[in-house]
Amino acid sequence: MPAKTVPPCPFAPMRPSYLSRDDEFFMKLAYNQALKAWASGEVPVGAVVEYGGEIVAAAHNMVESARDPTAHAEMLAITQTAMKLGGWRLNGATIYVTKEPCPMCAGACVMSRLTRAVYAVEDPSMGFLGGAMKFHDLSTLNHSLQVSSGVLREDCLKMLKTFFALKRNMDE
Amino acid sequence: MPAKTVPPCPFAPMRPSYLSRDDEFFMKLAYNQALKAWASGEVPVGAVVEYGGEIVAAAHNMVESARDPTAHAEMLAITQTAMKLGGWRLNGATIYVTKEPCPMCAGACVMSRLTRAVYAVEDPSMGFLGGAMKFHDLSTLNHSLQVSSGVLREDCLKMLKTFFALKRNMDE
């Protein structure tokens, strides 16, 4: 989907207060990343990673612009985090993402040994952290991933639904 | 695992005949990629991608050297293939990998719309294309991935087993 076929984005960035660093704070930053994805012609999904109370990674979906099927927001954020922490084991880090991770990204969350994954909108068909499958509950996994969902759900859902509705209108 | 802690590799590269481009031919090239992983201090897993009878990607595990938990052989080979084909939809391409893909890589095989995945050694605990889970059979997937296993199994299994046995001896 090149940028020209994407409708203008009617949403404004959020301005979370840096005084309260709770799940909602970090998800608002992920939301803003999703807006950046939209502005660059991508399906609007964004992610940030928190470690020790600080943001160590922020990324958005780049599949179309990078022409790379692995360039999901979560994958890019995980790679950024590894660069920042200086190793591939990301224990202690939490990823915040506006949509439930797909199988690839859910797998990456576990393989990278993230401590926790938080997502806003569930995905019953391709979500692998509760939607289509509870991948993190698989008994053979050698790493335990905590999962939370529904944080900032309405805002993130509205953005995704609006994107696809406007996109459909534009394509017709 | 830095290079210095990896035992010397006792295996030699295979020399497949380019006259017969069957599954075994491509898996032998994946095997040689796995040897390169070993030589650079990584768990020996290799992958190649075939498209239209030609090799369009060849990669090996680089998690340790890239310090990136997403740098599995399959992920790198998939990204290479997308670069080569000029888009992220890899329909028509087949990936050959020496070990059954993990959840992340199995997810990437589906998300990138590869036509087929062929692996040598099954992984009952983390393999997601038949071992721990038949991910490709999930009813909600919007892409069908053909899967074959057992090609060049004995050679690839021997390499992996030898690597971990020598590694254990070295660490003790």
Side-chain angles (χ1 to χ4, degrees):
Chain A
M1 189 186 312
K4 61 180 176 349
T5 69
V6 167
C9 179
F11 301 103
M14 292 185 172
R15 295 172 173 273
S17 162
Y18 276 69
L19 296 177
S20 163
R21 302 204 170 194
D22 53 6
D23 283 351
E24 198 156 307
F25 166 81
F26 291 108
M27 193 61 84
K28 284 178 178 172
L29 297 177
Y31 177 96
N32 289 348
Q33 286 295 317
L35 290 181
K36 288 189 181 182
W38 187 329
S40 62
E42 306 275 352
V43 173
V45 178
V48 302
V49 175
E50 171 273 337
Y51 183 84
E54 301 296 328
I55 298 137
V56 292
H60 61 74
N61 178 25
M62 292 184 67
V63 166
E64 300 293 341
S65 51
R67 297 184 174 186
D68 184 345
T70 74
H72 284 195
E74 302 95 309
M75 302 299 291
L76 301 172
I78 286 171
T79 295
Q80 276 183 30
T81 306
M83 298 300 116
K84 195 67 83 70
L85 302 186
W88 65 261
R89 294 172 189 82
L90 312 186
N91 307 77
T94 296
I95 191 166
Y96 293 83
V97 56
T98 55
K99 196 192 80 60
E100 183 176 356
C102 77
M104 171 179 71
C105 297
C109 290
V110 168
M111 302 306 289
S112 64
R113 306 194 186 167
L114 282 168
T115 291
R116 191 168 167 244
V118 182
Y119 61 85
V121 183
E122 69 286 355
D123 180 351
S125 63
M126 285 299 279
F128 252 46
L129 296 180
M133 189 189 154
K134 274 197 176 175
F135 166 52
H136 50 297
D137 280 355
L138 195 77
S139 62
T140 49
L141 291 187
N142 60 3
H143 172 67
S144 158
L145 175 73
Q146 300 165 36
V147 175
S148 306
S149 62
V151 176
L152 211 67
R153 179 180 182 277
E154 299 315 314
D155 289 298
C156 294
L157 182 60
K158 188 177 176 188
M159 191 203 299
L160 276 171
K161 280 193 167 178
T162 304
F163 175 83
F164 286 112
L166 292 175
K167 183 76 175 60
R168 263 194 309 274
N169 285 344
M170 187 173 243
D171 293 343
E172 277 165 5
Chain B
M1 190 186 310
K4 60 181 178 341
T5 69
V6 166
C9 179
F11 300 104
M14 291 184 173
R15 295 173 174 272
S17 161
Y18 276 69
L19 296 177
S20 163
R21 301 205 170 194
D22 54 6
D23 282 351
E24 198 156 306
F25 167 80
F26 291 108
M27 192 62 84
K28 283 178 179 173
L29 297 177
Y31 177 96
N32 289 349
Q33 286 294 317
L35 289 182
K36 287 189 180 181
W38 188 329
S40 62
E42 306 276 352
V43 174
V45 178
V48 301
V49 176
E50 171 273 338
Y51 183 84
E54 299 299 326
I55 300 138
V56 292
H60 61 73
N61 178 25
M62 291 184 66
V63 166
E64 300 294 339
S65 52
R67 295 183 174 187
D68 184 345
T70 74
H72 284 196
E74 301 95 310
M75 302 300 290
L76 302 172
I78 285 170
T79 295
Q80 277 184 29
T81 305
M83 299 299 116
K84 195 69 82 72
L85 302 187
W88 65 262
R89 296 171 188 82
L90 312 186
N91 307 77
T94 296
I95 191 165
Y96 292 84
V97 55
T98 55
K99 197 192 77 63
E100 184 176 356
C102 78
M104 171 178 71
C105 296
C109 289
V110 168
M111 303 306 289
S112 64
R113 307 195 185 167
L114 283 169
T115 290
R116 191 168 167 244
V118 182
Y119 61 86
V121 182
E122 69 286 355
D123 179 352
S125 64
M126 285 299 279
F128 253 46
L129 296 181
M133 188 189 155
K134 274 195 177 175
F135 165 54
H136 50 297
D137 279 355
L138 196 76
S139 62
T140 50
L141 291 186
N142 60 3
H143 173 68
S144 157
L145 176 72
Q146 300 166 34
V147 175
S148 307
S149 62
V151 177
L152 211 69
R153 179 180 182 276
E154 299 315 315
D155 289 298
C156 293
L157 182 60
K158 188 177 176 189
M159 192 203 299
L160 275 170
K161 281 193 166 177
T162 304
F163 175 82
F164 286 113
L166 292 174
K167 183 79 174 61
R168 263 194 309 274
N169 284 344
M170 189 172 242
D171 292 345
E172 277 167 4

